[in-house]
Every structure is written in C-alpha cells, then in structure tokens.
Amino acid sequence: METASAGLAPDAEELVTADHLEWADIIFVMERAHRAKLQRRFKAQLKRARVICLDIPDDYDFMQPELVTLLEQRVRRHL
C-alpha cells in the first residue's frame, strides 16, 4: 500500500494536484466541505477514485493523539 498526503488550503505543505487524484484509488477527506471543494476543483480527475469522508472536524494539530486514534478507527474499515 502506498499513501500520500496533500491539502486544499493555500498554506498546505503540499497542495493537492490533478496528478495526486489520478494516482489515487481511494481519497480520504476529513470533512464534507473538503469533498465538495475537491469535486468543484477536480471533477474530471475524480471519475475513477473513491472519495470517502471520515467526518472528522479539521481542527486537530498535526499528529495529535486523538486525531491519530480517530483516523485509525475510521480509515481501517475502508482498506
């Protein structure tokens, strides 16, 4: 399994590109707003990938233990 991470916010360390989305089989987003933004910006590139919303508020710090726990729980069922 290979993974990559990219963001939608202008200040993201790595911004999402069409190449990211075309490469991915499954795309996880934290919030429904993220899924909607992806679909607006990259509709053509999302035709073959599954976009899964984890329904996790995007207000945690990087690698915050509570966030890691939520991610492990919610991502596991989709892999």
Side-chain angles (χ1 to χ4, degrees):
M1 180 180 315
E2 291 183 55
T3 63
S5 177
L8 291 163
D11 63 344
E13 190 171 311
E14 180 162 352
L15 285 172
V16 174
T17 66
D19 288 339
H20 287 120
L21 303 174
E22 290 171 354
W23 171 80
D25 295 317
I26 303 173
I27 299 162
F28 292 101
V29 297
M30 301 279 282
E31 300 178 337
R32 292 177 189 171
H34 297 151
R35 180 173 43 203
K37 193 178 284 190
L38 268 180
Q39 289 172 335
R40 280 193 308 274
R41 289 188 192 174
F42 299 101
K43 188 174 184 175
Q45 290 82 14
L46 292 174
K47 290 186 180 180
R48 73 169 197 84
R50 282 183 16 206
V51 179
I52 297 170
C53 180
L54 299 173
D55 289 317
I56 298 173
D58 192 14
D59 58 5
Y60 291 91
D61 292 328
F62 179 71
M63 297 302 288
Q64 184 174 337
E66 296 86 357
L67 172 60
V68 172
T69 299
L70 280 171
L71 288 169
E72 288 173 345
Q73 292 170 349
R74 297 194 185 173
V75 167
R76 183 176 295 129
R77 68 183 98 161
H78 299 286
L79 301 178

